[in-house]
Amino acid sequence: LVPAPRDSGQNRLPADEPIYVISLAARLHLVHQQNLLYYEPAGSVAPRRTVDNFRVYSDADIDHLVQALSELWSQCALSRAVA
């Protein structure tokens, strides 16, 4: 996973502003759309919904998922090293 892109300009939106539909969020962060859907029920990512019930993700949503998955992968690597 790739952390959310950051814009250093003054026109930057708040990190919790939902701006990405699932296809764009997946593409920007180099994951498959199914990965985002898989981690939603587990609480690792919680996109907001549009009036038409489409998922929309914010940079904060993706950053939270990246952090959760990094921790999970670290724990898996540690448990394999101990075994």
Side-chain angles (χ1 to χ4, degrees):
L1 289 173
V2 177
R6 296 289 180 220
D7 178 9
S8 60
Q10 292 180 340
N11 296 329
R12 184 170 171 222
L13 293 170
D16 62 345
E17 181 74 25
I19 55 175
Y20 306 116
V21 294
I22 190 168
S23 59
L24 184 56
R27 190 172 197 184
L28 286 172
H29 302 289
L30 306 177
V31 297
H32 194 277
Q33 293 178 27
Q34 289 292 354
N35 291 16
L36 295 176
L37 295 174
Y38 178 81
Y39 290 108
E40 188 176 337
S44 296
V45 65
R48 295 193 192 121
R49 299 286 184 138
T50 65
V51 175
D52 296 329
N53 209 28
F54 289 105
R55 290 170 177 86
V56 281
Y57 296 84
S58 67
D59 285 334
D61 291 329
I62 302 301
D63 288 344
H64 184 262
L65 179 62
V66 168
Q67 182 180 9
L69 292 178
S70 293
E71 290 171 8
L72 178 64
W73 291 334
S74 293
Q75 290 173 2
C76 288
L78 181 61
S79 64
R80 285 186 179 184
V82 172

